[in-house]
Amino acid sequence: MSTILLNLDFGEPPKKTFEGNAKHQSFVKKRRLLEKKGFLKKKNQPPAKVSKLHSEPLKKGETPRVDGARKNLPCPKKKVAASSRGSEQSPDKRTTVSWLTPAPSKKTDSVVAKIDLLGEFQSALPKIKSHKKKGPKKKRSQKNATQTSMQAQAENKCPRASHTLPGKMVAIDCEMVGTGPKGRVSSLARCSVVNYNGDVLYDEYILPPCYIVDYRTRWSGIRKSHMVNATPFKIARGQILRILSGKIVVGHAIHNDFKALQYFHPKSLTRDTSQIPLLNRKASCPENVTMSLKHLTKKLLDRDIQAGKSGHSSVEDAQATMELYKLVEVEWEQQLAQNPPKN
């Protein structure tokens, strides 16, 4: 049989590996000395990382990895001293701001745990005590008591203010013309709105969508010349409804005005002076009879309206309606509060 030759190298390993191992061993010895003396804390590393550190060869001028990264440390003693100083100074900083550290809690990755940490942090904050003065508070309480008593007295003296809100009250009156077959359909041609004090909020001539057959000038006061620059019905209706929305609307036979506007106002916010027995009683008229605005104004306000052949004025009629309402406002609102109308 032929002889088998084995090429085995029993020589020494390369010097680089020995040099690297020697440096590492010297570093480990120095670290253990520093740990014994108390300059450094003992470093607990997982076995996997330690094995990697020992297995990888080190280059010249490098030190083993500290905290997972290699660093060129020509003077390891100075850096160790610096790290020891940092370790000595760190507890002092923590003690100075001890109230900022939250209480220990269980480590969880859930959102609830984070919220708990925030709550603990806020509870650890120092509470600032505000120095309250006792003297001025008593004076304020006395002032508040006097103000409330004065308001109660004012409400008792002036019940009108407690029942109604004048800023949210308006009176309306409309004038119509005849459209359709033989002019029998009443269409809106003028509308006037006044506030609680009788000031004019809106007064415009309105052009109906249909052809005008009868101007009814004797009653309405509308003429052909008024329709030249009149506002179209759709635009005027939108302007009027913006004023009426959310307000108490007063009117005489107001259902006719709403019909011409093609609008339904809530009954709880409607006051029709033609259907108030209180006004008829004051005018010494039968309670169940619908009296005209002209007659009630003459009897109760001693004023002549709708006089002459020039026709009615919607502004004048709206102002008269608001004044008639004011005569019985308190009693009427009390009755409505006891028996509110259903919309």
Side-chain angles (χ1 to χ4, degrees), residues 110-218:
S110 63
V111 179
V112 179
K114 293 178 182 178
I115 295 167
D116 291 337
L117 282 172
L118 285 171
E120 290 174 2
F121 179 78
Q122 289 175 355
S123 63
L125 291 172
K127 294 180 181 179
I128 300 167
K129 294 181 180 179
S130 59
H131 298 284
K132 297 179 181 179
K133 295 180 181 179
K134 296 180 180 179
K137 269 199 169 180
K138 290 181 181 177
K139 291 181 181 178
R140 285 178 187 172
S141 61
Q142 288 173 1
K143 286 180 181 178
N144 292 332
T146 52
Q147 284 177 359
T148 51
S149 62
M150 290 289 287
Q151 286 176 0
Q153 289 175 4
E155 285 179 359
N156 292 329
K157 288 180 182 177
C158 304
R160 180 182 296 178
S162 62
H163 288 294
T164 59
L165 297 172
K168 292 189 176 182
M169 295 195 69
V170 293
I172 190 172
D173 189 76
C174 298
E175 301 297 340
M176 289 76 155
V177 293
T179 59
K182 297 182 181 181
R184 292 177 181 175
V185 179
S186 295
S187 298
L188 185 66
R190 186 183 178 185
C191 181
S192 299
V193 182
V194 299
N195 63 8
Y196 187 82
N197 298 319
D199 301 324
V200 179
L201 300 177
Y202 185 87
D203 182 30
E204 292 289 337
Y205 289 100
I206 299 163
L207 182 65
C210 303
Y211 178 75
I212 299 173
V213 178
D214 185 5
Y215 283 93
R216 302 178 185 175
T217 307
R218 184 180 173 184

Side-chain angles (χ1 to χ4, degrees), residues 174-176 186-191 202 205-210 227 230-241 257-263:
C174 298
E175 301 297 340
M176 289 76 155
S186 295
S187 298
L188 185 66
R190 186 183 178 185
C191 181
Y202 185 87
Y205 289 100
I206 299 163
L207 182 65
C210 303
M227 296 292 107
T231 308
F233 175 76
K234 287 184 180 180
I235 297 170
R237 183 176 179 272
Q239 293 170 351
I240 295 162
L241 296 188
D257 301 325
F258 289 154
K259 187 177 180 181
L261 279 167
Q262 299 177 8
Y263 171 66

